[in-house]
Amino acid sequence: MIADGQLELRRVGLQAGGRVLIAPFDLTVAPGHVATVMGPSGCGKSSLLAYICGTLDPGLQAGGQVLLDGEDVTALPPERRRIGILFQDDLLFPHLSVAENLAFGLPPTLRNRGLRQERIAAALADAGLDDFGDRDPATLSGGQRARVALLRTLLAEPRALLLDEPFAKLDVGLRTRFRHFVFDHVRSNSLPTVLVTHDPADAPACGGPVIQVGLTGEANGGHNP
Amino acid sequence: MATALRQLRPQAAPRPTGAWLRWVPALTLGLFLAPVGAGLIGTWLPAFGYFPALGGTEIGLAPWRALFDYPGLGTSVWLSLCSGVLATAVSMGLTIGFVAACHNTSVFARLRRLLAPLLAVPHLAIAVGLSFLIAPSGWILRLVSPWATGWQIPPDVALVQDPYGLALTLALVVKETPFLLLMTIAALDQARAGDRLAVARSLGYGPVTAWLKTVLPAIYPQIRLPIYAVLAYSLSVVDMAIFLAPQTPPPLAILVFRWFNDPDLAMRFVGAAGAVLQLALVMAAICVWRLAEWGADWQGRRWLTAGGRGGAGWLSCRIAGSAMTGLYGIAAASLLGLALWSVARRWPYPEALPVSWTLDNWVRQAYGLWWAGGTTLLTGIAAAAVALALTLGCLENEQRRGLTTSGRGLWLLYAPLLVPQVGFLFGVQVLLVRLDFDGTWIALIWSHLLFVLPYVFLSLADSYRRLDPRYARAALCLGASPNRVFWRVKLPMLIRPVLFAAAVGFAVSVAQYLPTLFAGAGRFATLTTEAVALAGGADRRVLGVYAFLQALLPLLAFAAVLAWPSRRHRASAPPAGAAL
């Protein structure tokens, strides 16, 4: 299989205490595309993402392979997978300033101080927050925090992106703008992306494959366009 | 569905890094449970006559016969039981009554904020301060004499060291109620008390009845172990009892302590038997308390379902609020009394304040204060640091492995607090002597660790477990290693609960009396041992200096935590119930 930077899930499924939450399914996401996993709350969507990025709660059992760029990353610890994730809450670290939060995302291999500063300044400019570097994240608006969270994720140079209902807590006008902001970056960074949501409005906005998971545990769809 | 299950091929979970972490819980348990177990055995053997070092090689009941023939033993046991059980019952009643009647009031909020300093003050400082306060020549009578009482000389009544042990009981209540209050407040947060209350109130229950009927049943299981710890402590306290309990005969724990220090080495056997009796007394009291819980549960169920709604509860709030405020007042007045005596040159009866002041008391004691204070400080810092490292290791290991703690784990943690100190410290001493280890710094710090560790763990665990796990996940997915996540994300976010736990550990270490004596082999003088040694001397000014400094060190530790800059920490969970 040609696997040029794509994210591939093979027979990935999820169960809790013997109860099947998500039946095994296959999914391939090409770089720059967004696959959507739809389902009601509590059906295990977030746990599915946790399994993909390697932080699944040990109380749950999941199976299947996660392949990135043709490489099986299923056995790797989360920090070595290089799969970025964006949650419903921005989770900016409250003990770090905005710029320090962004610096936390930058890979340690980038040693040059000046270069690191440049990357952070560029990210701040990208988010429209040029002079906000020294600010406490708590003083930012919801939309500003969301943008910083995405840029922190992108500065870590992920090979794939997971979105765990990151638009749910934003109000409607902001939601559309932030959605565009995210998807523009997905395209410009050529990231294979998986979005989980219970909001049907999110799905058509992505235009990628859509998977429906429900409490029945059945997964439908999953075909690449 | 069956095929679906079979297709779910489980993958090997990512191997957690930091394999050495997995040994921390075992190391912790070994470090602090093994000495307790060894100490118990080392106490039980002499109790039945086996102690080769003193020529006891035959198992027999001779020590027990000597114990039961000892004049006044019955009175001693009765005294221990009365003061211990009464102090525990009053502390619990006061705590539950106060929270039930005053939750969501300004009194509650105010007293909650002042809880940390009250917890910090060592037992002994409260005992000494209280004896200065309520003695016939104490501050209270000075304030009302002679204009109200007509007394020109102190009245000849036993207000401290009274035959019923009431002074000791009062001091225990002053010191143990804040601890139970802290544990109750911590349990409230976990039990979502607000939701329960809202439901009950909407069904027409008055605030106090709503709390007692819907919140108390949910939180009692969580404050049960703290209550047992208070019971065990109150039944077997030594340092406070030396100042406040009657001495002829004294409570059982003091009797046992005297036998262990008797010049006649043969009394060690009687002491060991007495230590076993002390342990049995504590265990029996806990069992009876448990039975009473069942009785109360059975009765309570009928009351719960009978539908009584209760009133607005403003009177109970007034009463409980006053009682708790009074308790804080006693503690504050005790401390103030220590401070006044430490700078008094002349304070004749019945003057309300010293007639002349001086710093000489401090200057003359400077040498002793320097050494005892230094030993106290070093031991406290070392014990708190080791306890903090072990606690963080255990909690981090638990999170990386996704373990959940069981109730049994909590019982193990409480073990050193449920076993009376005189019940096993002699055995620990015997063990240390055999290992040629007694009287060393390591033995001293280790003996303090036994009691510091549980409190450090208890004060940190909730905050650590409650930190939103997604912060760590987000950091991991940004490529940070688990160790980096620990140092750069979790620790900074939890810095205040961590420092608070360290201060708690330091305060517990400062307060230790028996462990310092038994493990230190008399080679280490701390502020606590020096203050107790001054008990007979009756120079209140010198005693005031030592006891006040003993209280001051933990207070300063807590003040340092409060003063820690708090910018950008607003989202980190505050320590359970702490007034930060």
Side-chain angles (χ1 to χ4, degrees):
Chain A
M1 186 177 287
I2 318 289
D4 222 9
Q6 71 187 13
L7 172 69
E8 197 185 341
L9 306 182
R10 286 189 192 155
R11 311 304 301 153
V12 167
L14 182 74
Q15 45 178 304
R19 193 167 63 93
V20 175
L21 292 177
I22 296 175
F25 67 96
D26 294 324
L27 176 69
T28 306
V29 192
H33 286 74
V34 181
T36 309
V37 177
M38 296 273 303
S41 3
C43 72
K45 301 188 303 287
S46 296
S47 301
L48 177 69
L49 292 192
Y51 178 69
I52 298 173
C53 69
T55 57
L56 186 68
D57 181 11
L60 297 169
Q61 302 86 45
Q65 288 171 291
V66 179
L67 288 90
L68 249 180
D69 208 4
E71 177 203 355
D72 187 348
V73 298
T74 321
L76 291 179
E79 69 271 19
R80 304 235 334 259
R81 295 189 184 195
R82 294 179 54 202
I83 301 180
I85 186 165
L86 210 54
F87 295 98
Q88 201 175 76
D89 297 302
D90 49 77
L91 297 177
L92 296 178
F93 301 127
H95 58 287
L96 302 178
S97 69
V98 171
E100 285 166 343
N101 262 286
L102 292 169
F104 192 93
L106 274 177
T109 45
L110 184 67
R111 280 171 195 279
N112 185 305
R113 271 182 93 83
L115 280 179
R116 288 179 77 89
Q117 296 298 340
E118 248 171 59
R119 293 281 299 276
I120 293 165
L124 283 169
D126 189 0
L129 293 169
D130 289 278
D131 298 322
F132 285 67
D134 289 332
R135 292 275 285 269
D136 181 337
T139 63
L140 266 54
S141 74
Q144 290 170 329
R145 290 166 63 100
R147 295 203 293 275
V148 174
L150 175 72
L151 290 167
R152 182 178 69 174
T153 307
L154 295 179
L155 283 178
E157 297 170 5
R159 297 186 292 177
L161 184 62
L162 309 177
L163 305 171
D164 191 353
E165 305 208 31
F167 316 122
K169 282 208 175 157
L170 303 173
D171 57 54
V172 181
L174 201 55
R175 191 179 303 174
T176 317
R177 264 183 291 147
F178 184 55
R179 205 184 272 141
H180 282 300
F181 185 77
V182 172
F183 294 149
D184 286 347
H185 282 85
V186 165
R187 269 189 295 277
S188 60
N189 288 277
S190 292
L191 288 170
T193 299
V194 178
L195 166 75
V196 305
T197 180
H198 66 269
D199 181 1
D202 285 338
C206 315
V210 178
I211 289 198
Q212 188 78 40
V213 294
L215 288 170
T216 55
E218 296 299 328
N220 304 309
H223 304 289
N224 232 7
Chain B
M1 196 57 73
T3 47
L5 275 171
R6 235 172 285 133
Q7 283 165 332
L8 256 179
R9 256 187 320 122
Q11 293 284 332
R15 197 173 55 82
T17 47
W20 56 272
L21 249 187
R22 75 165 66 215
W23 300 107
V24 176
L27 176 73
T28 307
L29 281 181
L31 264 182
F32 100 122
L33 279 190
V36 178
L40 283 174
I41 294 170
T43 308
W44 290 341
L45 290 177
F48 291 95
Y50 184 81
F51 195 20
L54 290 180
T57 48
E58 289 198 7
I59 305 287
L61 290 176
W64 289 92
R65 275 192 289 275
L67 174 68
F68 287 118
D69 285 345
Y70 193 84
L73 180 77
T75 317
S76 291
V77 170
W78 185 241
L79 193 59
S80 292
L81 262 181
C82 284
S83 52
V85 173
L86 189 63
T88 311
V90 172
S91 303
M92 188 190 85
L94 203 54
T95 303
I96 290 176
F98 173 68
V99 182
C102 299
H103 61 91
N104 295 336
T105 66
S106 58
V107 186
F108 186 80
R110 204 161 44 237
L111 293 186
R112 179 182 178 160
R113 266 199 302 279
L114 289 171
L115 197 52
L118 199 49
L119 284 164
V121 178
H123 289 82
L124 186 73
I126 289 289
V128 176
L130 195 68
S131 74
F132 287 4
L133 196 62
I134 63 171
S137 60
W139 206 12
I140 291 181
L141 281 183
R142 283 169 193 254
L143 287 174
V144 296
S145 297
W147 55 272
T149 60
W151 289 326
Q152 291 291 344
I153 54 165
D156 186 20
V157 283
L159 292 175
V160 294
Q161 306 196 337
D162 60 293
Y164 307 104
L166 291 178
L168 175 63
T169 307
L170 176 64
L172 283 167
V173 169
V174 170
K175 198 44 207 149
E176 296 304 327
T177 305
F179 171 62
L180 288 182
L181 192 56
L182 175 79
M183 300 315 280
T184 307
I185 290 172
L188 283 183
D189 295 342
Q190 286 180 8
R192 302 170 63 90
D195 297 351
R196 288 166 182 271
L197 278 174
V199 172
R201 294 296 293 279
S202 72
L203 292 172
Y205 283 87
V208 184
T209 314
W211 197 91
L212 289 174
K213 286 190 173 182
T214 63
V215 179
L216 181 59
I219 63 160
Y220 190 81
Q222 290 182 66
I223 58 172
R224 172 179 290 135
L225 276 173
I227 288 174
Y228 293 171
V230 168
L231 189 57
Y233 182 86
S234 303
L235 283 167
S236 58
V237 62
V238 169
D239 53 357
M240 288 178 112
I242 287 176
F243 283 91
L244 295 173
Q247 300 298 310
T248 47
L252 180 61
I254 292 199
L255 213 48
V256 173
F257 178 60
R258 281 189 197 158
W259 287 328
F260 279 142
N261 287 298
D262 201 292
D264 177 5
L265 293 177
M267 291 308 281
R268 298 287 188 281
F269 292 99
V270 186
V276 178
L277 179 65
Q278 176 75 60
L279 177 67
L281 195 66
V282 168
M283 294 303 136
I286 290 177
C287 287
V288 171
W289 194 281
R290 185 82 186 90
L291 287 176
E293 283 172 13
W294 272 319
D297 185 42
W298 186 70
Q299 274 294 325
R301 251 163 233 289
R302 293 174 43 178
W303 177 66
L304 260 173
T305 49
R309 295 305 201 248
W314 60 269
L315 183 64
S316 21
C317 178
R318 200 58 72 72
I319 294 172
S322 310
M324 193 59 92
T325 311
L327 193 94
Y328 275 62
I330 293 174
S334 299
L335 277 189
L336 193 60
L338 292 179
L340 282 184
W341 272 109
S342 78
V343 291
R345 186 196 297 278
R346 248 171 41 79
W347 192 354
Y349 192 87
E351 297 293 332
L353 286 174
V355 291
S356 58
W357 309 76
T358 178
L359 282 176
D360 279 0
N361 306 330
W362 287 83
V363 175
R364 252 184 253 126
Q365 298 299 323
Y367 182 79
L369 286 174
W370 174 253
W371 283 105
T375 307
T376 308
L377 206 59
L378 276 180
T379 315
I381 290 172
V386 175
L388 196 61
L390 289 172
T391 298
L392 285 170
C394 286
L395 289 169
E396 180 65 9
N397 178 63
E398 175 187 298
Q399 284 195 345
R400 285 195 199 173
R401 277 165 215 290
L403 306 174
T404 47
T405 40
S406 62
R408 205 178 305 159
L410 208 55
W411 274 92
L412 287 180
L413 196 62
Y414 266 95
L417 307 182
L418 297 179
V419 177
Q421 291 192 350
V422 285
F424 74 98
L425 279 175
F426 176 67
V428 170
Q429 188 185 31
V430 172
L431 184 76
L432 288 172
V433 171
R434 297 223 31 182
L435 297 173
D436 203 13
F437 216 47
D438 64 319
T440 61
W441 278 99
I442 292 177
L444 180 69
I445 292 164
W446 189 8
S447 71
H448 280 214
L449 194 62
L450 297 185
F451 308 98
V452 169
L453 188 66
Y455 285 109
V456 170
F457 198 99
L458 286 173
S459 34
L460 189 54
D462 276 342
S463 309
Y464 206 87
R465 289 172 183 151
R466 270 211 306 259
L467 182 68
D468 190 338
R470 294 176 309 166
Y471 281 112
R473 281 183 209 154
L476 284 172
C477 293
L478 290 169
S481 69
N483 287 336
R484 186 166 141 85
V485 172
F486 174 77
W487 289 108
R488 290 291 309 279
V489 176
K490 289 187 188 172
L491 263 195
M493 289 185 75
L494 290 166
I495 190 67
R496 302 200 83 190
V498 165
L499 291 176
F500 182 81
V504 168
F506 178 73
V508 171
S509 168
V510 169
Q512 293 307 315
Y513 174 59
L514 289 184
T516 312
L517 287 191
F518 277 100
R523 268 172 236 169
F524 294 97
T526 63
L527 293 172
T528 308
T529 61
E530 290 295 278
V532 176
L534 289 166
D539 186 345
R540 286 191 180 166
R541 289 166 300 188
V542 180
L543 192 49
V545 166
Y546 276 94
F548 185 67
L549 188 60
Q550 193 217 15
L552 196 61
L553 286 185
L555 281 173
L556 288 178
F558 276 91
V561 174
L562 286 177
W564 194 268
S566 64
R567 202 178 73 93
R568 284 181 190 152
H569 294 299
R570 69 201 77 197
S572 65
L580 296 181

